[in-house]
Amino acid sequence: FSEKSSVGGPQTYMEQENDWDRDLLLDPAWEKQQRKTFTAWCNSHLRKAGTQIENIEEDFRDGLKLMLLLEVISGERLPKPERGKMRVHKINNVNKALDFIASKGVKLVSIGAEEIVDGNAKMTLGMIWTIILRFAIQDISVEETSAKEGLLLWCQRKTAPYKNVNVQNFHISWKDGLAFNALIHRHRPDLIDYDSLRKDDPVTNLNNAFEVAEKHLDIPKMLDAEDIVGTLRPDEKAIMTYVSCFYHAFSGAQKAETAANRICKVLAVNQENEQMMEDYEKLASDLLEWIRRTIPWLENRTQEKTVNDMQVKQEDFRDYRCVHKPPKVQEKCQLEISFNTLQTKLRLSNRPAFMPSEGRMVSDINKAWHNLEGAEKGYEEWILSEIRRLERLEHLAVKFHQKCAIHESWTDGKEAMLTQKDYETCTLSEVKALLRKHEAFESDLAAHQDRVEQIAAIAQELNELDYYDAASVNARCQKICDQWDVLGELTHKRKESLERTEKQLESIDELYLEYAKRAAPFNNWMEGAMEDLQDMFIVHNIEEIQGLITAHEQFKSTLPEANKEREAIQSIQSEVQKIAQSNGIKLSGGNPYTSITPESINSKWEQAMAMVPLRDNALQEELNKQNSNDTLRATFATQANAVGAYIQAKMEEIGRISIEMNGTLEDQLTNLKEYQKSIMSYTPEINKLEGYHQHIQEALIFDNQYTSYTMEHLRVGWEQLLTTIARTINEVENQILTRDAKGISQEQLYEYRASFNHFDKDHSGALMAEEFKACLISLGYDGEAEFNRIMGIVDPNGSGAVTFQAFIDFMSTETTDRDTADQVIASFKILAADKNYITADELRRELPPDQAEYCIARMAPYTGPDAVPGALDYMSFSTALYGESDL
């Protein structure tokens, strides 16, 4: 059936259905069914005007009730009828009715006023069928089908779940009565016990449906069960007329179903958004908690006692950087992507922007991450400085104990020697010898003063550097200093005693004295030389070791002169022997002025000479080590320079890609993901650089003149590169989401992007006011007022800059419809049967279980004057879906 007039066009469904002679000749019983059905249908409307008909062809002959029927079903006023009894008056009234029907776009076929006035039953039934088609069936439409097909599709959908019901037509599909009962049960299950019906009892089924419809649905009984069962093929028009009454009776339910579908769609969007919000909050909380736990560990500055202990901490830190932190970098990147995607979904569904709970904004996470990286940098610097400090401490401690051992070895027995009174029984020569010996001892004591001062200075430095065993160092140093004071005092007392005795003693062996004076300094020089040759050293670069080598070479250059002094000292002793032999003098014992014998001088000289090549080897090994370290620096620098250049180049390429448009958005997304894979394939080079960096640290190398890059800078750059490409991919994904949700074509999106990029000269991703105005003009917008209106939308805060996302949101909003709170309120109002509130039972009846419970849990109680127990406020709930709310 066509809704438009068929004048001059194809034959309509109405014209096909008006072939009355053919229909009635096929089965005369149809006329009886149509007469009863059409009469009941007319009376269901005429009773609203306080009248009825009994004989359909007799009661419509004068046209008065016919015009009244048309006024009732159309709601319009017809021309005033003529009240005369003459035939012409009746024909005029019927013509007015037929003209009104024709004015509604219906072409009447073979129906004239004279046949109606003459009581032609077939023509009268045909006219009534025409009226039913136009005013009861024509406006039925399901999925763009109309009239008979639409009504049939509606019946099929409503009865599909019921067993033994298969509606394929408007005649034999209804004979067993189950289809009528299924229609009622589908909409009013409280009225029909469908499971109790039997397919083999059609009369009972039909009468049950007719009686329930008449009693509870206000649908008059238009058919007889016996006539339908007793007819091979019930009349299609009668069945359609009766079924159309069910359609109109349940039209409110149809509206409710449509409203429920709209609400379900809105709630589904809200539930999905809430899940994304919960996921974001959890991921943000977990990441912030990890940062909160990690920063105190990085800020812990508990000092260790040895270099090995600090190197364990260094290894733990390396595990943190290479194993524990990289997954958190990915989580942080994913968190930003999830936040941007959620905001895009909220904009597209006309929802308010998502505001994370306090302390969980992306900016909060970035701030915490910045604090974490600051703690990392400080912790790594502290570890390296501690290793240097402990290395220095260990070197000083060894040097301290070495000097202490030498000094203690020298002082051993000196107190006993200074306190003896051997001079009391000595001869004059022996006393003078003792005095000279004491003077030599004083010279030796003075020479050892420097070593004592060195020991004290090293102990002080160990204390200043917070050496863990400072107590034992201080105790040993104090013991040496106290002993030194005692020696000084004893030396002074012994000298006084010898000087008192000297006045009585005259002779002294000048040669012995000269020997002693020269042997003591030379012996002390040799001891100092051996001490220097055994001295430990620590260097950090080639220049320092070369300086030590140069000093050692200078020392070796003084050895010939020292050897001459040794030979001169030995010649003195030889002269003594020569004089004694020549003068027959018998020497008793050794040199009375010194305990340093020529043999001991030769022995120490040989020891010192043996130490020289050992020192040469040690310095050469250290030089080789520093050369190796320099090779490590160069290797690291070569890789670091390559990685740094790669990261810089890729960052610039991503910047170019983000403003270019090549292919569809899907193509761009595919290319970007391939580009991301290409970048990720470079990870082994980063790992290789980490390996070189580990070797650098293990070798305790603290500077590198071959590169300006540090491992920390390259780590941050690599993380920024990975984050940037991930963000770029997410931007394209959001553009696809915006395009699909807003209905923007690929060509439109290209046009918008091209215009935006053209005026974004500095590639900042934002347009200033004048640039944006020029962009709008390029897209066809004009006028200062129009520009101000759009600027107020895309830049509500008045910052003077417009981002591409804000621009795209505006352009899509201009051309698409969006769900609104008013639409959702209207849908709920339909489900609530026009009430200002809705009940939990109504929600459970109209919505899927999960969404019904979702609404019940979140709707506030309704407090209006018409409230009933359990009433829920769907208006505030709907408004909250599109505004600031905890929903």
Side-chain angles (χ1 to χ4, degrees):
F1 175 71
S2 174
E3 296 182 359
K4 298 182 179 179
S5 172
S6 62
V7 177
Q11 187 181 32
T12 66
Y13 174 70
M14 183 180 292
E15 294 167 340
Q16 299 168 13
E17 292 298 314
N18 278 337
D19 194 351
W20 294 93
D21 291 335
R22 178 181 60 79
D23 287 349
L24 296 180
L25 286 172
L26 288 174
D27 190 347
W30 288 355
E31 181 177 347
K32 178 183 176 181
Q33 293 176 7
Q34 291 176 7
R35 182 184 299 278
K36 180 177 179 59
T37 301
F38 292 176
T39 299
W41 184 85
C42 291
N43 283 333
S44 69
H45 294 285
L46 286 172
R47 68 185 178 185
K48 298 176 184 177
T51 186
Q52 296 279 279
I53 63 172
E54 295 182 2
N55 186 301
I56 196 165
E57 62 264 33
E58 290 297 329
D59 290 342
F60 284 145
R61 289 179 65 178
D62 61 2
L64 294 176
K65 288 187 177 181
L66 178 59
M67 295 179 69
L68 182 60
L69 174 65
L70 291 172
E71 287 185 345
V72 171
I73 62 178
S74 69
E76 300 181 24
R77 297 290 297 176
L78 271 68
K80 186 177 180 181
E82 300 181 14
R83 298 292 180 179
K85 301 294 185 180
M86 298 177 64
R87 177 179 173 82
V88 66
H89 297 145
K90 297 178 181 180
I91 291 175
N92 287 339
N93 287 337
V94 173
N95 274 327
K96 291 177 181 179
L98 296 178
D99 290 342
F100 178 78
I101 295 172
S103 71
K104 297 301 179 183
V106 179
K107 183 177 181 181
L108 298 172
V109 180
S110 303
I111 298 177
E114 290 79 1
E115 287 84 355
I116 304 302
V117 173
D118 290 340
N120 186 315
K122 293 181 180 180
M123 292 299 110
T124 302
L125 291 173
M127 177 189 67
I128 298 304
W129 173 241
T130 300
I131 292 172
I132 292 171
L133 278 176
R134 174 59 185 83
F135 295 100
I137 299 177
Q138 175 178 334
D139 292 332
I140 296 174
S141 176
V142 180
E143 290 190 355
E144 300 181 359
T145 63
S146 300
K148 178 180 178 181
E149 291 80 5
L151 185 59
L152 183 62
L153 180 58
W154 179 79
C155 293
Q156 290 171 340
R157 282 188 171 180
K158 297 302 180 182
T159 61
Y162 294 87
K163 62 182 180 179
N164 297 325
V165 177
N166 184 16
V167 177
Q168 298 296 327
N169 50 54
F170 285 110
H171 37 79
I172 61 175
S173 294
W174 303 83
K175 284 190 67 174
D176 59 11
L178 291 178
F180 289 112
N181 283 279
L183 275 182
I184 297 173
H185 185 270
R186 179 64 182 273
H187 296 91
R188 291 291 303 276
D190 55 312
L191 301 179
I192 297 287
D193 183 7
Y194 185 82
D195 293 334
S196 67
L197 301 178
R198 295 168 44 199
K199 187 173 181 64
D200 59 356
D201 190 5
V203 174
T204 300
N205 297 341
L206 289 167
N207 283 330
N208 181 68
F210 297 162
E211 290 168 5
V212 169
E214 187 170 36
K215 181 178 180 180
H216 297 285
L217 303 178
D218 199 25
I219 299 175
K221 185 177 181 181
M222 299 183 182
L223 301 169
D224 283 330
E226 291 76 7
D227 291 343
I228 294 176
V229 174
T231 304
L232 182 63
R233 182 176 183 271
D235 179 58
E236 189 175 51
K237 299 176 181 61
I239 298 293
M240 282 183 64
T241 300
Y242 189 47
V243 171
S244 70
C245 294
F246 282 91
Y247 176 86
H248 291 294
F250 295 134
S251 61
Q254 185 69 24
K255 292 179 181 177
E257 182 178 346
T258 302
N261 289 337
R262 175 182 288 275
I263 291 171
C264 287
K265 179 182 177 182
V266 171
L267 293 180
V269 171
N270 232 57
Q271 288 172 313
E272 181 183 356
N273 291 342
E274 285 181 8
Q275 185 60 49
M276 291 187 68
M277 293 177 191
E278 291 177 6
D279 293 345
Y280 173 88
E281 290 280 351
K282 183 178 185 307
L283 186 56
S285 297
D286 291 346
L287 184 58
L288 288 171
E289 175 61 20
W290 178 80
I291 294 173
R292 185 191 67 77
R293 294 195 312 268
T294 303
I295 287 179
W297 175 69
L298 293 172
E299 291 177 342
N300 182 11
R301 298 295 187 267
T302 302
Q303 294 180 337
E304 299 296 341
K305 296 180 178 180
T306 66
V307 172
N308 289 338
D309 292 337
M310 284 306 299
Q311 286 175 336
V312 170
K313 283 194 173 185
Q314 187 180 45
E315 188 62 30
D316 291 341
F317 179 71
R318 187 178 295 114
D319 287 342
Y320 157 78
R321 285 306 307 258
C322 299
V323 178
H324 301 293
K325 186 185 177 186
K328 298 303 178 183
V329 174
Q330 294 298 322
E331 287 181 17
K332 177 177 176 290
C333 180
Q334 183 59 44
L335 196 66
E336 294 183 9
I337 290 173
S338 298
F339 181 81
N340 293 336
T341 300
L342 175 58
Q343 299 294 39
T344 300
K345 285 179 174 288
L346 291 172
R347 284 196 302 272
L348 297 177
S349 58
N350 197 27
R351 301 301 197 275
F354 168 52
M355 290 295 293
S357 55
E358 185 175 358
R360 293 182 177 85
M361 294 287 292
V362 172
S363 58
D364 296 322
I365 294 168
N366 288 335
K367 181 179 179 182
W369 191 265
H370 178 73
N371 294 338
L372 174 72
E373 291 181 334
E376 282 179 16
K377 185 175 185 297
Y379 188 64
E380 186 172 29
E381 291 174 351
W382 174 74
I383 287 177
L384 295 177
S385 67
E386 276 295 289
I387 291 176
R388 287 184 181 182
R389 182 181 71 83
L390 291 173
E391 186 182 49
R392 172 66 176 164
L393 281 174
E394 290 182 0
H395 170 70
L396 287 175
V398 171
K399 188 172 184 178
F400 171 82
H401 290 298
Q402 185 183 62
K403 286 184 177 294
C404 287
I406 293 172
H407 177 77
E408 288 167 348
S409 175
W410 178 82
T411 59
D412 184 34
K414 293 296 188 290
E415 287 189 29
M417 183 270 290
L418 291 172
T419 56
Q420 66 181 344
K421 296 183 178 180
D422 52 345
Y423 54 84
E424 292 180 350
T425 59
C426 290
T427 64
L428 178 61
S429 60
E430 291 173 337
V431 171
K432 288 187 175 181
L434 288 176
L435 184 59
R436 298 296 180 267
K437 181 179 178 181
H438 187 74
E439 290 176 352
F441 173 77
E442 285 183 324
S443 176
D444 196 13
L445 186 68
H448 277 274
Q449 175 70 32
D450 183 58
R451 180 177 289 110
V452 174
E453 291 175 354
Q454 289 178 7
I455 290 172
I458 294 174
Q460 181 179 356
E461 187 172 358
L462 287 171
N463 278 275
E464 290 173 352
L465 293 176
D466 197 20
Y467 182 53
Y468 77 95
D469 197 20
S472 65
V473 169
N474 292 336
R476 192 171 186 181
C477 179
Q478 186 62 45
K479 182 180 178 181
I480 288 173
C481 290
D482 292 343
Q483 185 187 39
W484 185 256
D485 292 338
V486 170
L487 289 177
E489 183 178 351
L490 292 175
T491 299
H492 179 69
K493 289 181 178 180
R494 182 172 177 82
K495 185 176 182 179
E496 288 179 344
S497 299
L498 290 173
E499 285 177 345
R500 284 195 301 270
T501 307
E502 182 187 20
K503 294 178 182 179
Q504 302 171 10
L505 303 174
E506 296 177 348
S507 69
I508 190 171
D509 193 337
E510 292 295 337
L511 291 175
Y512 272 152
L513 182 59
E514 182 183 358
Y515 173 91
K517 287 183 177 180
R518 295 182 67 173
F522 184 74
N523 184 70
N524 190 62
W525 175 85
M526 286 193 297
E527 289 180 350
M530 287 191 290
E531 183 178 341
D532 291 340
L533 289 171
Q534 297 179 76
D535 189 22
M536 294 179 62
F537 54 84
I538 179 170
V539 296
H540 296 96
N541 53 54
I542 293 175
E543 289 74 15
E544 291 179 2
I545 187 62
Q546 287 177 340
L548 290 178
I549 291 174
T550 300
H552 183 61
E553 292 299 325
Q554 290 175 350
F555 165 76
K556 289 196 295 184
S557 67
T558 65
L559 292 179
E561 190 64 30
N563 191 43
K564 290 180 180 180
E565 177 65 11
R566 181 184 66 84
E567 292 173 347
I569 293 172
Q570 297 289 42
S571 67
I572 294 175
Q573 182 66 22
S574 298
E575 184 68 20
V576 170
Q577 297 292 341
K578 181 179 179 181
I579 293 174
Q581 292 174 2
S582 62
N583 294 285
I585 299 174
K586 185 178 181 180
L587 297 176
S588 58
N591 193 322
Y593 304 118
T594 181
S595 61
I596 301 173
T597 65
E599 292 77 13
S600 68
I601 291 176
N602 286 336
S603 176
K604 288 183 179 180
W605 177 260
E606 292 173 357
Q607 291 179 20
M609 293 304 98
M611 290 179 182
V612 170
L614 295 178
R615 183 73 170 182
D616 287 335
N617 292 337
L619 291 173
Q620 186 60 44
E621 288 177 0
E622 183 63 28
L623 178 61
N624 295 338
K625 175 185 174 183
Q626 291 303 322
N627 284 329
S628 176
N629 287 353
D630 208 50
T631 301
L632 285 177
R633 289 187 182 95
T635 302
F636 174 83
T638 300
Q639 182 71 3
N641 291 335
V643 170
Y646 176 85
I647 292 174
Q648 180 65 29
K650 293 303 177 184
M651 288 293 289
E652 293 174 358
E653 287 182 18
I654 294 173
R656 290 196 301 271
I657 290 172
S658 64
I659 62 172
E660 293 175 354
M661 296 182 299
N662 296 317
T664 65
L665 288 176
E666 285 75 8
D667 291 340
Q668 294 178 36
L669 185 59
T670 299
N671 292 337
L672 281 172
K673 288 184 177 179
E674 289 299 323
Y675 191 75
Q676 186 182 44
K677 288 181 181 178
S678 172
I679 290 177
M680 292 304 297
S681 67
Y682 196 72
T683 302
E685 297 300 318
I686 302 297
N687 295 337
K688 184 190 296 184
L689 185 64
E690 287 283 2
Y692 293 154
H693 180 63
Q694 181 176 350
H695 294 325
I696 286 283
Q697 289 193 326
E698 290 172 351
L700 300 178
I701 298 173
F702 304 109
D703 56 3
N704 195 334
Q705 70 273 28
Y706 300 117
T707 181
S708 60
Y709 291 108
T710 66
M711 193 67 234
E712 179 65 25
H713 293 156
L714 293 175
R715 286 170 183 154
V716 172
W718 177 248
E719 292 170 3
Q720 288 177 345
L721 176 61
L722 296 181
T723 300
T724 300
I725 185 63
R727 286 174 178 165
T728 305
I729 289 173
N730 182 242
E731 288 177 2
V732 176
E733 291 173 337
N734 284 342
Q735 289 182 32
I736 293 174
L737 189 62
T738 301
R739 180 198 67 192
D740 295 342
K742 296 296 187 178
I744 302 175
S745 68
Q746 187 74 38
E747 291 74 16
Q748 286 177 311
L749 201 59
Y750 275 162
E751 183 182 3
Y752 300 156
R753 171 55 83 179
S755 296
F756 191 92
N757 287 346
H758 177 75
F759 293 100
D760 184 15
K761 303 297 186 183
D762 58 357
H763 307 306
S764 64
L767 299 181
M768 295 298 103
E770 289 302 317
E771 293 174 333
F772 183 60
K773 184 175 182 180
C775 179
L776 288 177
I777 293 174
S778 73
L779 293 173
Y781 289 84
D782 196 11
E784 192 66 28
E786 180 71 357
F787 169 71
N788 292 335
R789 177 186 73 84
I790 296 173
M791 198 65 184
I793 295 173
V794 298
D795 184 24
N797 298 325
S799 65
V802 180
T803 65
F804 181 68
Q805 187 61 53
F807 173 58
I808 262 312
D809 286 344
F810 163 73
M811 296 304 297
S812 60
T813 302
E814 289 285 289
T815 57
T816 57
D817 294 327
R818 295 184 293 176
D819 288 332
T820 64
D822 291 340
Q823 291 175 333
V824 178
I825 291 173
S827 298
F828 273 118
K829 196 173 185 69
I830 292 173
L831 300 188
D834 286 335
K835 300 191 299 293
N836 292 324
Y837 60 85
I838 196 167
T839 66
D841 290 339
E842 288 171 330
L843 288 170
R844 292 190 177 103
R845 185 176 69 241
E846 300 293 347
L847 298 177
D850 60 330
Q851 295 189 335
E853 297 305 323
Y854 177 85
C855 294
I856 293 169
R858 287 165 172 76
M859 282 188 182
Y862 176 73
T863 57
D866 53 341
V868 299
L872 300 174
D873 187 354
Y874 62 79
M875 294 186 184
S876 64
F877 172 79
S878 301
T879 303
L881 290 176
Y882 294 87
E884 296 294 335
S885 170
D886 294 332
L887 290 177

